[in-house]
Amino acid sequence: MNTNPDSDAGRRVRVVIVDDHTIFRSGLKADLDERMDVVGEAGTVEQAIAVIAEKRPEVVLLDVHLPGGLGGGGREVIAGSNALLGTTSFLALSVSDAAEDVVSVIRAGARGYVTKTISGKEISDAVIRVADGDAVFSPRLAGFVLDAFGTAPADIADDELDKLSARELEVMRLIARGYSYKEVAKELFISIKTVETHVSAVLRKLQLSSRHELTKWAAERRLL
Amino acid sequence: MIAGVCSGLADHLGWPVKYVRLGMILACFAGGAGVAFYAWLWTMVPTADENAKRNARRPASSIAPAVSLPPVPVPGVGPATAAYDAGGSATVPGDRSAGGTAAAGPTAGPGDGGTASPAGAPYGFGAASAEDRWGGTALASWFSFRRIQYGKEILLGAALLLVAAILIARQFGVDVPLGTLIPAAAILGGAAIAWMQLDETRRAGLVDKTKADQAGGWVRLAAGLALVVAGVLVMVSGSGSWEQTWLALLASVAVLGGVALVLLPWGLKFWKDLETERAGRVRETERAEIAAHLHDSVLQTLALIQRRAGSEQDVVRLARAQERELRAWLFSDAAKESGLLADRIKSVAAEVEDSHGQAVEVVTVGDTAMTDRHEALVQAAREAMLNAARHGGGTVSVYMESTAGSTEIFIKDRGPGFDPDAVPEDRLGVKESIIGRMKRHGGSAVITSSSAGTEVRLALPSATVEAGEQRTSDVRNGESKQ
């Protein structure tokens, strides 16, 4: 994830950071590079919804676990900001690797998921990527996707939401193996833009699919 | 032969099965007494399985270790117990059950008073109280009887003997006032059944609440109640006249309903208090456990980090190891501690992480049971991880994918890379531990390295599809390498 897709140098991304730990918020703020403006911060679900509605940022860095609201955490913030989903993108941040946390925020509408141990450079790149409308997949999220959708490619006859295409599977596998988008592109002889398209398609499937196996997978992990 | 009662009885008494069966059959001719006895044993005595389960389910109690021990069967404890013990025959002598409670009911010591009376405090009185939480109520109270007196057994034996004597006396033409005896017996029996049921639900509530148990319990309560009421009525009215009996029945049902109505709120409140107390206790235990765990792990690590604040690598390593430990504790089932491949890979990665202070990120898809061949795969992966942590620098990515056909593991680092062909012959790490080991177990290992990092790809086809799959997997690796 150390690639920076053609962002013009003068561009500034307006960011809101939502996390209940003040120390983490200030650390994250310091980590984000000069391409980002932190225009607001929030520590609870209610604050987050209010701040996002007021500031209308391009990207919200959203902790999965948040106090307040009905206990839904990050998921609830996304649901509460539903009206802005067209203009505001959410990037989920968590210390948790648990599938239920990751997949529930993604299905709520987040454009990506990264763990909090991510480096400053990586998080900045991820923010830019999300601001550009692309999806950000960590290796672990790719692993969950492969686990949920299975590793067999779709037949052409299948409903398009139900399975990953052979190419999407390849991309997911490489990301799970720790490849950056650039490395994936190089490995598969395709452009970074194409990789991003595939990843976005996978994200869409993950968000929309009601496939039987996915439901079962989610039920096994108490996601539904 | 029907329900294994005879063999259980024989086993318990130490007599040959033959005699027991013979005796049972003879008893059948004696006015059907054998049939009744058989049925009684069948329903009342726990089977060996049930008994074993009950004993296994009860955790060892530090509070009352002696009481928690399963009772040792002692054949021929004494003539008095033998009569009752016949009831416990199929399994362990006198493991509560049986009508023993019944006969003992009225004269029971304080322990039984707690279980039988609805007014009893939730955790009983006397000796039985401490063990209640461990689901050992029954056994414990039984033990307390053993200690205090054999009242239960003696009473039951006496009652049985009495019945036998009456039956024999009738056979010889002696006039026995059956008119009073039968209602009296009905009352006793009904009360016994009802009390037994109270004991049963209490235990069920403490050990595990299942619907079936409760349904059975209610049926038993109803049966006991009906018997008692009928018995009392017949005794009081003194006549067999149906009209009178029906009228009395109606009246008594009305009275019972009234009493139930009065007692209901009180009973509900009592039950709620009990539930609250139980929930509180569970919460308390959980809190204590969490506090203990945090103290042993996180606080210790924080102390260590403060002392080693100078060395960045130590701090990172400690923090990382602690993070992993906490994560495992929070998110994974203790019961899932299995012999599966994904868990093995994760533990090996953790070990590498600890020894080299490099983060190793493991992503797994699918899982499979460990075999010797998979152990070889794990060892090869471990070697690759060690190399990556030693020479790579930065995070090591490990990806394991297991499907029906094969298992693949990818280990990637972002180090300066090396030329696999230029590795000297005497360096055994790559050649023997990775490539050679995989080949010997029917798998393959491909190493690609460039200035952007090194990736080791290990593939192990399943044993069943080994022959056919081998070639295709090699081809695929070859393709994607270019």
Side-chain angles (χ1 to χ4, degrees):
Chain A
M1 259 157 261
N2 49 10
T3 55
N4 181 8
D6 38 52
S7 68
D8 19 334
R11 174 145 179 242
R12 310 273 285 180
V13 176
R14 291 154 48 79
V15 177
V16 164
I17 298 177
V18 180
D19 193 299
D20 55 325
H21 295 105
T22 328
I23 299 174
F24 183 81
R25 282 209 304 263
S26 52
L28 190 60
K29 219 162 136 183
D31 266 355
L32 292 173
D33 59 25
E34 71 289 341
R35 290 169 291 170
M36 276 133 242
D37 272 335
V38 177
V39 295
E41 292 181 32
T44 65
V45 171
E46 290 88 355
Q47 280 175 21
I49 295 175
V51 168
I52 292 166
E54 190 204 325
K55 304 282 182 184
R56 310 226 162 192
E58 287 167 72
V59 177
V60 178
L61 284 169
L62 182 64
D63 189 6
V64 173
H65 296 279
L66 276 180
L70 304 170
R75 200 157 28 96
E76 210 179 317
V77 174
I78 300 180
S81 314
N82 227 341
L84 299 171
L85 266 185
T87 52
T88 300
S89 305
F90 291 85
L91 177 59
L93 274 175
S94 173
V95 288
S96 157
D97 283 341
E100 42 268 52
D101 295 337
V102 183
V103 178
S104 66
V105 283
I106 293 287
R107 279 183 81 102
R111 297 292 299 168
Y113 174 88
V114 289
T115 47
K116 282 187 176 177
T117 47
I118 191 171
S119 75
K121 170 87 175 97
E122 284 173 324
I123 186 93
S124 302
D125 286 342
V127 168
I128 295 290
R129 200 181 292 285
V130 167
D132 286 343
D134 293 320
V136 171
F137 269 44
S138 66
R140 198 166 299 275
L141 180 52
F144 288 147
V145 168
L146 289 171
D147 219 8
F149 281 91
T151 46
D155 296 331
I156 301 160
D158 270 342
D159 183 354
E160 64 153 344
L161 282 179
D162 283 356
K163 272 197 167 175
L164 303 183
S165 72
R167 206 52 157 176
E168 286 162 358
L169 273 177
E170 266 179 306
V171 171
M172 280 299 117
R173 271 212 188 92
L174 287 172
I175 291 175
R177 276 156 66 178
Y179 282 57
S180 67
Y181 285 16
K182 195 163 132 201
E183 287 167 318
V184 173
K186 200 170 146 224
E187 180 83 19
L188 299 177
F189 303 104
I190 53 181
S191 71
I192 293 180
K193 210 68 221 160
T194 314
V195 175
E196 283 164 352
T197 311
H198 285 311
V199 174
S200 294
V202 173
L203 186 81
R204 198 174 126 260
K205 288 183 182 180
L206 186 61
Q207 284 169 346
L208 299 180
S209 176
S210 55
R211 192 169 84 97
H212 170 65
E213 276 86 357
L214 184 62
T215 324
K216 195 173 137 238
W217 179 85
E220 272 168 16
R221 288 162 177 75
R222 283 164 290 161
L223 296 184
L224 295 178
Chain B
M1 265 178 288
I2 299 168
V5 170
C6 286
S7 54
L9 193 57
D11 192 42
H12 175 68
L13 296 174
W15 296 344
V17 189
K18 265 190 292 187
Y19 296 136
V20 178
R21 287 205 175 122
L22 195 66
M24 200 65 94
I25 290 163
L26 282 178
C28 285
F29 291 112
V35 179
F37 185 55
Y38 192 96
W40 181 63
L41 285 184
W42 188 359
T43 40
M44 292 305 188
V45 174
T47 67
D49 279 353
E50 279 168 9
N51 208 57
K53 223 188 291 164
R54 192 176 302 159
N55 282 335
R57 203 162 39 189
R58 194 180 53 244
S61 155
S62 57
I63 300 173
V67 178
S68 292
L69 287 174
V72 182
V74 183
V77 168
T81 35
Y84 169 68
D85 272 352
S89 65
T91 53
V92 176
D95 188 13
R96 67 152 243 119
S97 78
T101 336
T107 57
D112 202 49
T115 57
S117 138
Y123 289 114
F125 311 128
S129 64
E131 292 80 29
D132 274 14
R133 279 193 302 143
W134 302 100
T137 328
L139 204 71
S141 61
W142 181 78
F143 261 87
S144 67
F145 280 120
R146 275 228 122 161
R147 249 179 281 127
I148 301 166
Q149 56 190 359
Y150 289 112
K152 223 160 56 161
E153 292 82 351
I154 294 171
L155 271 173
L156 185 75
L160 286 176
L161 284 176
L162 200 67
V163 171
I166 290 168
L167 286 174
I168 292 167
R170 276 200 82 209
Q171 289 284 318
F172 288 105
V174 181
D175 184 33
V176 181
L178 274 182
T180 35
L181 270 179
I182 290 175
I187 294 172
L188 269 182
I193 295 169
W195 276 321
M196 219 164 61
Q197 120 83 19
L198 272 177
D199 208 13
E200 192 83 27
T201 38
R202 255 171 66 85
R203 200 199 49 193
L206 290 168
V207 181
D208 65 336
K209 237 184 254 171
T210 58
K211 285 258 150 66
D213 273 5
Q214 283 192 334
W218 285 115
V219 168
R220 235 179 289 174
L221 182 64
L225 216 59
L227 259 179
V228 171
V229 169
V232 169
L233 280 180
V234 172
M235 198 134 116
V236 170
S237 68
S239 75
S241 149
W242 278 110
E243 285 158 49
Q244 230 175 335
T245 313
W246 273 119
L247 270 177
L249 190 70
L250 205 65
S252 55
V253 165
V255 168
L256 274 178
V259 168
L261 211 60
V262 169
L263 289 184
L264 199 65
W266 177 77
L268 279 179
K269 185 183 167 302
F270 168 73
W271 179 249
K272 227 180 265 170
D273 286 354
L274 176 66
E275 287 286 302
T276 321
E277 191 188 327
R278 199 179 289 159
R281 201 186 299 264
V282 168
R283 263 200 304 278
E284 198 57 38
T285 318
E286 265 171 11
R287 228 191 75 79
E289 197 196 323
I290 291 171
H293 183 266
L294 289 184
H295 175 264
D296 290 348
S297 59
V298 180
L299 284 185
Q300 304 289 349
T301 308
L302 285 177
L304 266 177
I305 285 177
Q306 281 170 34
R307 229 181 298 154
R308 303 256 185 96
S311 155
E312 193 190 340
Q313 212 195 352
D314 277 354
V315 170
V316 169
R317 179 154 62 200
L318 283 168
R320 181 80 190 158
Q322 182 55 57
E323 182 198 341
R324 204 177 46 235
E325 191 267 346
L326 202 57
R327 222 176 254 296
W329 188 67
L330 286 175
F331 298 124
S332 62
D333 277 336
K336 247 186 98 192
E337 206 57 21
S338 59
L340 294 178
L341 181 60
D343 287 343
R344 273 290 283 151
I345 291 285
K346 278 177 192 151
S347 73
V348 165
E351 183 196 317
V352 172
E353 206 170 85
D354 282 343
S355 59
H356 286 80
Q358 291 292 358
V360 181
E361 293 284 356
V362 183
V363 176
T364 61
V365 172
D367 210 343
T368 178
M370 289 294 292
T371 64
D372 283 352
R373 299 170 68 242
H374 288 106
E375 186 56 37
L377 180 69
V378 168
Q379 288 309 320
R382 178 174 177 275
E383 195 62 33
M385 284 182 224
L386 281 172
N387 281 336
R390 220 177 276 143
H391 308 296
T395 304
V396 178
S397 304
V398 177
Y399 173 62
M400 193 264 312
E401 183 180 315
S402 184
T403 58
S406 71
T407 302
E408 286 177 288
I409 299 182
F410 302 82
I411 300 102
K412 182 175 168 61
D413 68 62
R414 298 181 175 281
F418 69 103
D419 181 1
D421 297 328
V423 175
E425 284 297 315
D426 58 327
R427 295 293 299 276
L428 292 179
V430 170
K431 246 194 171 57
E432 263 315 297
S433 304
I434 301 180
I435 301 174
R437 184 180 268 138
M438 290 308 293
K439 283 228 169 82
R440 276 199 299 281
H441 289 88
S444 63
V446 179
I447 299 171
T448 46
S449 189
S450 72
S451 57
T454 305
E455 189 175 38
V456 180
R457 307 160 187 207
L458 309 172
L460 187 72
S462 309
T464 43
V465 289
E466 194 176 344
E469 195 79 351
Q470 179 68 60
R471 239 168 295 126
T472 50
S473 86
D474 276 350
V475 171
R476 206 177 52 208
N477 279 341
E479 267 174 7
S480 58
K481 204 173 25 163
Q482 344 159 344

